[in-house]
Amino acid sequence: MAEHQHQAAGAEHSCGHGHGHHKASTPGPADPDALYTCPMHPEVQQVGPGSCPICGMALEPMAPSLEAAENPELKDFRRRFLIGLVFTVPLVVLEMGSHFFGRPSWLPVALSQWLQLVLATPVVAWCGLPFLERCVTSLRTGKLNMFTLIGIGVSAAYLYSVVGLIFPGLFPEALRGEGGAVGLYFEPAAVIVVLVLLGQILELKAREETGGAIRALLDLAPKTARRVTDAGDEEIALDTVAMGDRLRVRPGEAIPVDGTLLEGSSHVDESMVTGESLPVAKHPGDRVIGGAVNQSGSFVMQAEKVGADTMLSKIVSLVAAAQRSRAPIQRLADRVAGWFVPLVLAIAALAFLVWLIWGPSPSFEFAIVAAVTVLIIACPCALGLATPMSVMVGVGRGAEAGVLIRDAEALEHMEKVEILLVDKTGTLTEGKPALTALHVLEGFGREDLLVKAASLEQSSEHPLAKAVLAAASDAGLALAKVEEFAAPASRGVSGRVEGTAVLLGNAALLREAGIDTAPLEGLAQEEAKQGATAIYLAVDGKPAGLLAVADPVKESTPEALKELREAGLEVVMLTGDAEATAAAVAGRLGITQFRAEVMPEGKAAAVKAFQADGKVVAMAGDGINDAPALAAADVGIAMGTGTDVAMESAGVTLLQGELTAIVKARHLSQATLRNIRQNLFFAFIYNALGVPVAAGILYPFFGILLSPIIGAAAMSLSSVSVVANALRLRRARI
């Protein structure tokens, strides 16, 4: 392993499995110069594609890419599954039909068995090749897993059948049937391959969207930038921007890189970084962040951080690192198989030796039958279905309740969550500024003031103007004509509305006009305590009223928080808002723990800090700025009303955007994990009970030697039990 590096920090968890020989088994182009890693062992890294020296799975590229190509192995497995199904269906009909309806006269036993060989061979030899390769790799490296059992079981059933078909004389008379033919098990071998392929397809399909969050983040950055030169503006590719370049950003454009504003002013939507619902005013000397959107006004900035040093690039790295750190729930089956496989192999070997040494004549044939029967009865076809079936049904049940589960990892961890970190904007609150109060001083009318304020704001580009206009529209008020409109920078707006001089803005705007703001100061302070922004209003040189604009708390939030606490979850609020605003919202909602002015790295760091204390952490958010924390958490929970990036990064999405659905998600997780454990029990109980009998433990006392057909029946029964048990989740109460 000299060529492999052990540094997990650089790998992207793209969540696909591979098999022994990457180039032969995984179709599609591969970049020989890119750095690749194993999805199951991210510490393994090498230049160019290949296979993992630990588990034999295909290495996958680490670097994030905007290409949304389908996972080549998913495409490969789907093709193998469909071809396997084409051969397996007639094989099952051929074998099982004779048991239920009798064999037709034109189809003798010998011909039927040779047809079974023809149908089963491509299924086992080609469709099941990835599992056989993984089995060989696991045996060679000593890393036994479920593929070890699948490979041994399929091989045992198939090879036993081939020997039984070609050399029936090697088997005792008691094991022969009509015309001296030996019972064959081509059908179980083929069915196992097809069912395991189906399970792998379900798993890969659920994980295919893992890279979507990173692509969405990368897509935030513009592809080009407008560089300012002595000869004029020139459009250049984003990757050619250098530190110190002067760049022009026009209204509606995304800021290309991090830097400092040099000329002009504007309002910039930085919600993807800070979580603030309100765009931020920017003036010369202020910092601007790449990926943020310039809403109004053109400005010139100086590039200070480019490429991998930008805030957006760091967010991408955080999301990628958090995604690949997750352990798939399917490892539970591998952990069980870790002790089950050597036990089964030991019992099979012991049974062979005991029958060979002390068995009746012909002892060798009896020894072979006993060993093969042990392997067949222990073949875990149900193990391949145990987790995917429960996950598939559980995910469907969650969708009915408005809870979308993106991957099985979320289900594994949700039942154990102890701390819930929640973003404020868009999660606890509506995420849309609204007029929450209108205070009117004596001598003025409420509707008249709202008309005057909204009439002025219809000419304004300020984000708060939308809240005032929306309030007037909801009240059904007609706006008046405005004359002499002006918008003093960062202070507000002024003009004449129906001949009346009106000022609307902050306290400084009124003071500059010589207007006494004292009658409004107390009201402004009270609104600030509630987390609202105060807008002063003056008419004809006199203070007239105060408008309060805030991001209102969702109606369902208080009840949701109560239910979450009753469910045993500790709730902590994280927000990019100012301390005063955060304290006001936390106080109103009874949240005792909160952190304000938190950047994306801070949210992800908070998640990791709680995890370092041994806590299982869930993070609920709706914005791009929440993506790193959502990916880093044991369970990321996105509001369905939020951004696509948040939903791509999260394992759980609440369609209605209500926190009450988190309780449903927790109940769903508990029901699904309980169902998975039951399935694993069913998958092994028949095998565990049948293995000693298959080994011949009852023969000395009752003369019973279990036939491989009983092993196949037990194997089928375990699969039926798993499927039937998983379907019970449809009726689970969440």
Side-chain angles (χ1 to χ4, degrees), residues 327-362:
I329 195 172
Q330 281 76 6
R331 285 184 178 175
L332 177 60
D334 283 345
R335 288 196 294 269
V336 175
W339 61 262
F340 186 75
V341 174
L343 179 62
V344 169
L345 294 176
I347 293 175
L350 180 62
F352 180 84
L353 291 175
V354 169
W355 278 97
L356 185 63
I357 297 172
W358 290 290
S361 179

Side-chain angles (χ1 to χ4, degrees), residues 58-69:
L59 302 181
E60 299 186 349
M62 293 171 52
S65 172
L66 282 170
E67 298 297 328

Side-chain angles (χ1 to χ4, degrees), residues 428-622:
L428 299 175
T429 66
E430 296 288 352
K432 299 177 181 178
L435 184 67
T436 56
L438 173 56
H439 302 281
V440 180
L441 298 184
E442 186 176 352
F444 296 93
R446 181 182 181 84
E447 287 192 358
D448 181 58
L449 287 186
L450 185 54
V451 168
K452 285 180 168 56
S455 298
L456 268 183
E457 293 286 32
Q458 67 181 328
S459 300
S460 171
E461 296 180 347
H462 196 281
L464 297 181
K466 296 179 181 178
V468 178
L469 287 168
S473 176
D474 292 343
L477 302 178
L479 303 185
K481 183 180 180 180
V482 178
E483 298 175 335
E484 301 177 16
F485 175 82
S490 301
R491 295 193 297 277
V493 293
S494 63
R496 301 189 70 83
V497 181
E498 295 181 328
T500 303
V502 179
L503 287 178
L504 185 67
N506 57 24
L509 179 66
L510 272 65
R511 294 192 191 106
E512 288 178 2
I515 299 173
D516 182 15
T517 60
L520 300 175
E521 293 294 348
L523 295 171
Q525 292 175 5
E526 289 299 320
E527 291 297 339
K529 292 179 182 179
Q530 299 300 317
T533 299
I535 305 175
Y536 292 75
L537 178 63
V539 176
D540 283 336
K542 298 179 181 179
L546 186 84
L547 290 80
V549 176
D551 186 6
V553 172
K554 294 179 180 178
E555 293 183 4
S556 62
T557 295
E559 181 63 26
L561 292 175
K562 178 183 176 183
E563 291 185 17
L564 290 169
R565 295 188 188 100
E566 291 175 349
L569 297 180
E570 181 181 351
V571 181
V572 180
M573 184 179 77
L574 303 179
T575 177
D577 283 353
E579 183 79 18
T581 302
V585 174
R588 289 166 56 191
L589 296 175
I591 297 176
T592 57
Q593 292 190 63
F594 69 90
R595 299 183 186 181
E597 301 178 9
V598 181
M599 299 293 278
E601 301 97 326
K603 292 184 179 182
V607 169
K608 293 176 182 177
F610 282 114
Q611 290 173 330
D613 291 336
K615 302 292 185 180
V616 180
V617 182
M619 171 70 193
D622 76 322

Side-chain angles (χ1 to χ4, degrees), residues 239-400:
D239 57 7
T240 62
V241 175
M243 292 178 58
D245 282 350
R246 299 173 74 241
L247 308 173
R248 188 183 306 278
V249 183
R250 297 178 298 188
E253 293 181 341
I255 298 172
V257 296
D258 297 359
T260 300
L261 194 147
L262 299 176
E263 303 172 9
S265 61
S266 181
H267 284 88
V268 176
D269 180 3
E270 294 183 342
S271 60
M272 50 78 68
V273 176
T274 66
E276 287 279 7
S277 57
L278 301 177
V280 182
K282 295 293 183 179
H283 304 285
D286 291 341
R287 293 181 57 81
V288 290
I289 302 172
V293 178
N294 178 29
Q295 289 200 331
S296 60
S298 176
F299 62 82
V300 176
M301 60 170 287
Q302 183 176 33
E304 294 181 346
K305 292 183 179 180
V306 300
D309 294 328
T310 65
M311 179 70 73
L312 184 59
S313 295
K314 291 178 180 178
I315 293 177
V316 170
S317 297
L318 285 170
V319 173
Q323 285 181 333
R324 68 172 177 268
S325 68
R326 291 176 173 175
I329 195 172
Q330 281 76 6
R331 285 184 178 175
L332 177 60
D334 283 345
R335 288 196 294 269
V336 175
W339 61 262
F340 186 75
V341 174
L343 179 62
V344 169
L345 294 176
I347 293 175
L350 180 62
F352 180 84
L353 291 175
V354 169
W355 278 97
L356 185 63
I357 297 172
W358 290 290
S361 179
S363 61
F364 181 79
E365 286 79 357
F366 276 106
I368 288 291
V369 169
V372 170
T373 304
V374 168
L375 292 175
I376 288 178
I377 203 170
C379 182
C381 67
L383 186 60
L385 287 174
T387 296
M389 278 300 299
S390 294
V391 170
M392 182 172 63
V393 179
V395 166
R397 179 68 185 91
E400 294 174 0

Side-chain angles (χ1 to χ4, degrees), residues 4 15 42 47 49 127 191 235 269 336 363 382 404 426 439 442 475 499 529 572 606 618 648:
H4 298 286
C15 294
V47 176
C127 299
V191 170
E235 190 169 344
D269 180 3
V336 175
S363 61
L404 292 185
H439 302 281
E442 186 176 352
K529 292 179 182 179
V572 180
E648 291 281 3

